[in-house]
Amino acid sequence: MERIAVLGAGSWGTALAFVLAENGHDVRIWGHRQQVIDQINETHQNEKYLPGVELPHQIKGFTSLDKAIEGVETLILAVPTKAIREVLQQLKSLTDELFAIVHVSKGIEPDSLLRISQMIQQEIDTKDIVVLSGPSHAEEVSRRQPTTVTSASTNIQAAEKVQDLFNNQQYFRVYTNPDVIGVEIGGALKNIIALAAGITDGLGYGDNAKAALMTRGLAEIARLGTVLGANPLTFSGLTGIGDLIVTCTSVHSRNWRAGNLLGKGKNLDEVLENMGMVVEGVRTTKAAYQLSQKYDVKMPIADALYNVLFNDVKAKDAVDALMSRTKTHEMEDLANVLGEKLN
C-alpha cells in the first residue's frame, strides 16, 4: 500500500482515485471547490463531475494542498493543462520534497509549445515524470468497465511502478511505453480531431465523413509527432489510434460534444459556457497550429479547425475548403513519416 495524492477532483482525477483506492492504496484527492471536497468526505460521491458513482470510503478529500501531499511518495497531476503551472508553483512553494509525478492531462501549452512533461521539468524538481494516457472515459472506469491505458516514461522502472499502482485485474490494465513524446502528442492532438468529428456530426454528415476525418487526422498527428521526435509506431497504439477512436465516437467525450455544438451553429463562447468543463482541444488547436507553422508541417484539419475557432470561419465553409484541396497521394504521408524516422 502506498499513500498517493491525486491533484484535481474533476471526473478523471476522481476516477483514477477510485481505481487506486480499490487497489488498496491510501488515496488523498485535492480540489479547490469546498462543496465537491465536502461531498467526497461526507457522502463519498462527486455529483458535479462523476454523478451516480459511490466512491471508496478510504478516499479522503482536501482543499489544503499542503495537507493533501503530506507523507505521499507519488502525485497524480489531474488538473487542466492551463492550471498546471499554477499548481506546480504552489507545490514548489510548499515543500522541497521530491515526488514522482504522474500526469494524466492531455494538452500542449500555446505560445511556449511545451508538452506537459516539459512544463513539469521547467517548474519543479521531481524524482520521475510518468505520463498515464489512453482511451479512457472516467464514467466507464468508475463503473468498472474494462479499460486499457499506457504508462510512459524515459525511466522504464518508473513507468512499471505506475503500472503496478494502477493495474487492476478486473477492469483496468496498464501497458508501458518509453516514448513519452509520442504518448503526449497522441493524447493531446486527438482532442483536435474529436472537435472536428463533433462538427461533422453537428453538420449532419455521416460515417463516411467521420472515418475520413479520423484517418487523415491520425496522419496529421503522426506527421507532427515524428518531426518532434516520437516513434511513429506509438500512433498505432492505445495513445494514438485507440484514444482517437474513443474520443471521436463517444458522447462521453467533451471535445466531441463541444464540436457537435459548433457544427449546429453555436459560437465558441456559447459552447464553452454550455459545457461547464474544460475543453482541452480548444487550447491544443492553437498550440498545434503554432507548431505546424514553426516546423512547416502540413496539418490541414488542424488549420481548418483553427480558422473555425479563432477566425470566425463557418464550419461548413471549412469542410468545403478541405474537400477542395489539391489532389495528393495517400501513401506520401506514411512514406514521409517512416522515411524521416529511418533516416
Side-chain angles (χ1 to χ4, degrees):
M1 184 183 75
E2 182 173 326
R3 177 174 288 183
I4 302 167
V6 178
L7 307 186
S11 57
W12 191 222
T14 304
L16 291 176
F18 180 97
V19 175
L20 289 168
E22 291 224 314
N23 286 352
H25 300 293
D26 178 1
V27 183
R28 297 159 166 239
I29 189 165
W30 170 82
H32 62 88
R33 294 178 183 270
Q34 187 68 55
Q35 184 178 4
V36 170
I37 296 303
D38 287 345
Q39 190 178 64
I40 289 172
N41 288 330
E42 294 167 8
T43 67
H44 310 294
Q45 294 185 5
N46 185 345
E47 282 296 324
K48 180 173 178 60
Y49 294 108
L50 208 58
V53 175
E54 180 75 17
L55 300 175
H57 289 204
Q58 61 264 46
I59 297 176
K60 305 300 181 187
F62 295 84
T63 54
S64 166
L65 184 58
D66 195 11
K67 292 180 180 178
I69 64 174
E70 186 178 343
V72 308
E73 299 177 33
T74 302
L75 298 180
I76 312 299
L77 191 58
V79 298
T81 305
K82 67 178 183 180
I84 283 176
R85 285 194 185 275
E86 179 185 350
V87 172
L88 291 172
Q89 289 164 5
Q90 288 183 52
L91 277 171
K92 191 173 183 178
S93 70
L94 289 172
T95 180
D96 294 326
E97 189 78 22
L98 292 180
F99 302 100
I101 294 183
V102 183
H103 88 72
V104 301
S105 302
K106 298 174 181 179
I108 300 170
E109 188 175 46
D111 302 325
S112 76
L113 305 183
L114 296 179
R115 293 173 284 107
I116 294 174
S117 64
Q118 294 173 309
M119 295 167 62
I120 296 171
Q121 289 172 329
Q122 197 175 72
E123 292 290 346
I124 195 169
D125 292 328
T126 67
K127 288 181 181 177
D128 291 295
I129 299 172
V130 180
V131 188
L132 190 72
S133 187
S136 48
H137 290 309
E139 297 85 351
E140 295 183 6
V141 170
S142 62
R143 287 169 172 79
R144 301 182 183 88
Q145 296 185 4
T147 301
T148 56
V149 297
T150 296
S151 170
S153 178
T154 54
N155 178 352
I156 195 62
Q157 285 77 27
E160 289 172 345
K161 179 184 177 182
V162 172
Q163 181 183 43
D164 290 338
L165 290 175
F166 279 97
N167 251 341
N168 180 300
Q169 292 183 357
Q170 290 182 314
Y171 63 93
F172 202 80
R173 180 174 174 82
V174 185
Y175 292 82
T176 58
N177 188 334
D179 182 18
V180 172
I181 296 174
V183 168
E184 287 187 299
I185 291 296
L189 267 61
K190 56 87 183 176
N191 286 331
I192 298 175
I193 309 306
L195 274 170
I199 287 175
T200 63
D201 286 329
L203 287 169
Y205 298 150
D207 293 339
N208 293 352
K210 184 180 287 187
L213 179 73
M214 292 170 64
T215 306
R216 300 309 303 161
L218 184 62
E220 290 191 17
I221 293 170
R223 198 182 302 139
L224 178 62
T226 304
V227 168
L228 296 176
N231 183 334
L233 292 178
T234 296
F235 302 114
S236 65
L238 289 170
T239 59
I241 193 168
D243 214 352
L244 187 68
I245 290 170
V246 78
T247 313
C248 289
T249 61
S250 175
V251 294
H252 290 316
S253 165
R254 65 186 70 169
N255 289 281
W256 179 90
R257 297 202 312 268
N260 190 253
L261 292 172
L262 288 168
K264 290 178 177 177
K266 301 285 187 183
N267 64 44
L268 182 58
D269 290 338
E270 289 176 312
V271 169
L272 296 179
E273 182 178 353
N274 181 279
M275 293 294 297
M277 291 187 286
V278 173
V279 181
E280 288 281 16
V282 174
R283 278 168 52 90
T284 305
T285 298
K286 183 177 182 181
Y289 176 81
Q290 292 172 335
L291 282 167
S292 71
Q293 298 298 303
K294 179 177 180 179
Y295 292 100
D296 193 26
V297 177
K298 292 181 180 178
M299 299 183 69
I301 296 172
D303 291 350
L305 185 59
Y306 178 85
N307 285 327
V308 171
L309 295 176
F310 302 111
N311 289 332
D312 295 323
V313 171
K314 292 185 182 300
K316 176 67 166 59
D317 293 340
V319 174
D320 289 344
L322 284 172
M323 292 299 292
S324 61
R325 291 175 62 241
T326 303
K327 64 183 182 179
T328 187
H329 195 295
E330 183 182 22
M331 289 298 105
E332 284 181 5
D333 284 325
L334 183 60
N336 289 338
V337 166
L338 292 178
E340 288 175 12
K341 198 65 182 179
L342 291 173
N343 291 336

